[in-house]
Amino acid sequence: MIYGIGTDICDVRRIAASLARHGDRFAEKVLAEGELATWRERSARWPDRGLRYLATRFSAKEAFSKAIGLGMRMPMTWRHCEVAKLRSGQPVIVLHGALKEWFEAQGLQAHLSVTDETDYAASFCVVEKIQTKLP
Ligand SMILES: CC(C)(COP(=O)(O)OP(=O)(O)OC[C@H]1O[C@@H](n2cnc3c(N)ncnc32)[C@H](O)[C@@H]1OP(=O)(O)O)[C@@H](O)C(=O)NCCC(=O)NCCS
């Protein structure tokens, strides 16, 4: 059963402006540990790919926050929602901490798709209820 859907479009130029204003602190607020390592590695080699990586993560997390119906409200936090990749390249949501506990207790499963082109990054997320709530 579909629990919720969420979508988000992110202006890559706004992410670039936030990075210019706040430096790494902006990325450290939005990205989970694993993502931060990937972002640093990509940014060092190809600054534009680092920027796009950050913009797609930003939009994916916002789309997920809408699909679960919470927005950016506890237990949803930027850093507890990680966007990882399967070997095939498909993005997957990996949760941590209180958000993971809450999500699993509700019996939920997320499906994510992300895209970007020139100045925009966009994401679509579907959250499915796979089992009844645990006691
Ligand atoms: C959801 C959220 C992350 C989107 O913020 P944003 O990037 O500024 O705005 P976007 O244009 O991407 O999305 C806005 C749309 O998200 C949707 N949205 C808002 N809250 C939502 C929620 N809890 N669940 C799902 N979707 C939500 C609405 O459709 C909204 O459009 P609308 O304002 O025309 O009704 C942000 O609004 C949020 O964190 N909301 C929860 C906290 C909150 O609402 N605090 C103030 C309470 S008064």
Side-chain angles (χ1 to χ4, degrees):
M1 172 183 117
I2 302 283
Y3 177 86
I5 59 170
T7 185
D8 190 69
I9 183 161
C10 168
D11 189 330
V12 178
R13 294 162 294 189
R14 280 187 59 197
I15 299 292
S18 294
L19 267 180
R21 231 181 3 257
H22 306 291
D24 281 16
R25 272 191 302 133
F26 176 69
E28 285 160 5
K29 184 185 129 187
V30 170
L31 301 177
E33 283 311 311
E35 295 170 327
L36 210 45
T38 305
W39 174 73
R40 290 207 167 104
E41 201 178 297
R42 287 206 189 165
S43 299
R45 293 171 73 181
W46 313 280
D48 187 55
R49 279 193 63 198
L51 178 60
R52 278 163 193 292
Y53 178 82
L54 180 54
T56 49
R57 301 312 101 163
F58 189 95
S59 78
K61 292 170 194 223
E62 286 235 334
F64 175 79
S65 83
K66 294 175 187 176
I68 57 174
L70 294 177
M72 286 296 169
R73 269 186 308 201
M74 295 297 278
M76 174 65 200
T77 67
W78 294 103
R79 288 174 53 84
H80 278 163
C81 173
E82 177 174 0
V83 181
K85 256 186 188 178
L86 298 180
R87 288 169 74 92
S88 64
Q90 185 184 338
V92 281
I93 301 264
V94 178
L95 302 176
H96 304 280
L99 179 59
K100 177 181 163 78
E101 281 169 30
W102 174 83
F103 193 79
E104 288 178 354
Q106 307 291 318
L108 300 177
Q109 188 178 327
H111 306 273
L112 176 69
S113 178
V114 307
T115 184
D116 71 279
E117 178 68 46
T118 320
D119 292 331
Y120 296 97
S123 299
F124 184 66
C125 183
V126 174
V127 169
E128 191 183 352
K129 192 158 183 103
I130 50 171
Q131 62 187 53
T132 51
K133 198 171 168 177
L134 298 175

